[in-house]
Amino acid sequence: MGLLNFRKNKNDTVGASAVQTSSASRHPYYRLSSYMPLNGKSRVYAQVRQAVPIIDAAVNKIIRLTDGFRFETGDEMLDIRMNDYFNNINVGGNQRGISAFISNYLSQLLTFGTAVGEVVLSNNGIYALYNSDLADLELKRAANGIDVEFYNYNEKIPNPSLVLYSVLNPKPGDLCGTSILEGLPFISDILMKIYHTVGENWEHAGNVRYAVICKPSADADGTDAQSRANTIAQAWKDAMDSKSVKDFVAVGDVSVQVIGADNVCLNSEIPVRQMLEQIVAKLGLPPFMLGINWSSTERMSTQQADILTTELKAYRRVLTPVISKIGNMYLALAGENCRAEVVWEDITLQDECDGAKAKLYNAQAEKIEREISV
C-alpha cells in the first residue's frame, strides 16, 4: 500500500513532528562547551558571496548544472507515485519539491563545506524536508571514535536518523567539510579594495571640482583683494548653480583649473584580471560561463566540458547518499519491500551541433570498420 493511501479517519489531523535542528536555545552560554560549531566561518563565506557577484553567480550555476534526478525502484507505477510525491513535497514551508531542498542543501555544502537537513515526519509518513541553519547545531565525536552526534544548543538530538548530513572534502579528524570558497576571502578583499578605489576616483572625476585663481594687481591693498575675491566667488557660484548655460566674466588675471585633472588613475585591468583568474581557477567554471571574455571564442572546448562534467559528478556523488536515504525512508514508511535508486540526468554541456557531429563521426567509423572486416 502506498504512503498516500494509509487508512485514516476523516477527523484525523496531520500530526507532524517538531524540527530538531531549528533554533531553540534555552541557555545564554551554550557555546561554552566542547562541541564543534558548524558555523565557524559561515559569516565570512556568506559575505564573500554577497560582496563578489561573480562568486555567487558561479555557485548558483554549479547548483543548476548539478540538479536533475529521479527515483527508480523497478516498479513503474511506484516510480510515478514516488516521484510525483517528492516533486510536491513541502520544503521548509515556503518551497515545494525535493529539487528545491537539494538546491539549498548543495548551496550550503558548497559555501560552508557542510550541509545539514532533516526529514520531518507525520502520522502519514514524510511530511516535509527541512534545510537546517548551521548556526543552530554543534557536532561531537561519538564514543566509538567514528560516528557523529548532533547537538542543538547543548542538547543531544534524540532522533539522529532523521538528520541529513554531508561534508565536502573534509580534512582528517575534522567533523566539518571544506568550503570551495576557502582561500577566496583574501582574494576578494583585494578585489573589493580595487573596486572601492575605482569608485571613489570616478566619484571625484565625475563631480568636478574647480580652482578659481585670481592674481590681484600690484597696487591693490588687502581689503580690495578680499572684496574682489568674494565678488568672484559669488559670481562663480551663481554660474555653477544656474540650470542654464551661464558665462562667468571676471576682470583681471583670473584663471580656472580643474582640481585633479593632471592626476592619472592606476590601470586596474591587469590586477583585477589576476584576482578573477584565481577565483575562476578555484571555482572550476570556464570564464565565459561567468560573463568573462578572455579568449576569441566563447564556445566550450571538449577538454573544458570533460573537466567541468567531472566536477559536477563529484558533487553528485556527495549528494547521492542523502537523496537515497530520503527515498528509502519513504519506501520503508509506505511498507514497500524495495529500495530506491537515484538516477541522475545526463550532463549536456556541448552544443547540439557538436553532439550531432560526434554521432555522425561514430556512425562513419562503425561503417568503415564493418567494411574492413568484410
Side-chain angles (χ1 to χ4, degrees), residues 335-353:
E336 301 290 346
N337 188 20
C338 58
R339 296 187 64 82
E341 179 183 358
V342 180
V343 179
W344 293 93
E345 297 178 359
D346 294 334
I347 301 175
T348 304
L349 300 175
Q350 294 289 344
D351 296 337
E352 293 296 332
C353 181

Side-chain angles (χ1 to χ4, degrees), residues 82 323-333 338-341:
M82 182 177 182
I323 303 174
S324 297
K325 181 177 181 179
I326 298 173
N328 291 324
M329 188 178 299
Y330 168 91
L331 295 174
L333 293 173
C338 58
R339 296 187 64 82
E341 179 183 358

Side-chain angles (χ1 to χ4, degrees), residues 44-297:
V44 176
Y45 293 137
Q47 289 180 359
V48 166
R49 288 188 60 176
Q50 293 175 0
V52 187
I54 193 173
I55 295 179
D56 185 64
V59 173
N60 290 331
K61 287 183 183 297
I62 292 175
I63 294 172
R64 287 193 291 269
L65 291 172
T66 306
D67 193 19
F69 64 90
R70 66 183 185 277
F71 292 106
E72 289 189 0
T73 62
D75 186 336
E76 183 177 357
M77 295 303 298
L78 179 59
D79 293 346
I80 295 174
R81 186 169 72 249
M82 182 177 182
N83 286 292
D84 181 69
Y85 179 79
F86 279 109
N87 287 336
N88 298 279
I89 194 170
N90 185 7
V91 178
N94 58 353
Q95 296 185 85
R96 291 283 176 179
I98 191 173
S99 293
F101 170 79
I102 293 299
S103 295
N104 293 331
Y105 192 87
L106 180 56
S107 177
Q108 191 180 65
L109 181 67
L110 296 175
T111 305
F112 310 123
T114 307
V116 179
E118 184 177 353
V119 179
V120 182
L121 300 181
S122 68
N123 52 13
N124 291 330
I126 298 179
Y127 173 71
L129 300 175
Y130 177 76
N131 292 105
S132 306
D133 188 355
L134 299 183
D136 301 329
L137 299 173
E138 296 90 23
L139 300 180
K140 186 177 181 181
R141 186 73 67 181
N144 59 10
I146 299 296
D147 297 331
V148 178
E149 296 177 348
F150 301 92
Y151 287 80
N152 186 357
Y153 295 97
N154 236 6
E155 294 186 4
K156 187 176 181 180
I157 290 180
N159 296 317
S161 60
L162 300 178
V163 178
L164 307 171
Y165 167 67
S166 299
V167 293
L168 182 66
N169 301 326
K171 298 178 182 179
D174 285 354
L175 298 179
C176 301
T178 304
S179 170
I180 64 169
L181 306 183
E182 188 179 42
L184 293 185
F186 172 72
I187 301 297
S188 302
D189 182 54
I190 297 177
L191 191 62
M192 288 298 99
K193 287 180 180 178
I194 296 175
Y195 286 154
H196 180 69
T197 304
V198 171
E200 287 194 339
N201 289 337
W202 275 99
E203 183 177 357
H204 289 297
N207 189 7
V208 182
R209 272 78 168 176
Y210 296 95
V212 181
I213 302 174
C214 177
K215 296 181 180 180
S217 59
D219 57 347
D221 56 8
T223 304
D224 184 54
Q226 180 66 31
S227 175
R228 184 178 298 180
N230 291 336
T231 303
I232 293 176
Q234 184 62 39
W236 180 261
K237 183 177 183 300
D238 294 340
M240 291 295 100
D241 292 342
S242 178
K243 296 182 180 180
S244 60
V245 178
K246 187 175 183 179
D247 296 329
F248 170 73
V249 181
V251 179
D253 189 1
V254 178
S255 61
V256 180
Q257 297 179 356
V258 178
I259 299 177
D262 298 332
N263 184 29
V264 179
C265 296
L266 295 175
N267 185 5
S268 61
E269 182 177 356
I270 295 178
V272 167
R273 173 163 179 167
Q274 291 175 343
M275 297 302 103
L276 292 179
E277 286 175 349
Q278 298 296 321
I279 293 175
V280 170
K282 181 68 175 179
L283 299 177
L285 289 177
F288 74 88
M289 295 188 68
L290 301 175
I292 302 175
N293 298 323
W294 285 339
S295 59
S296 58
T297 178

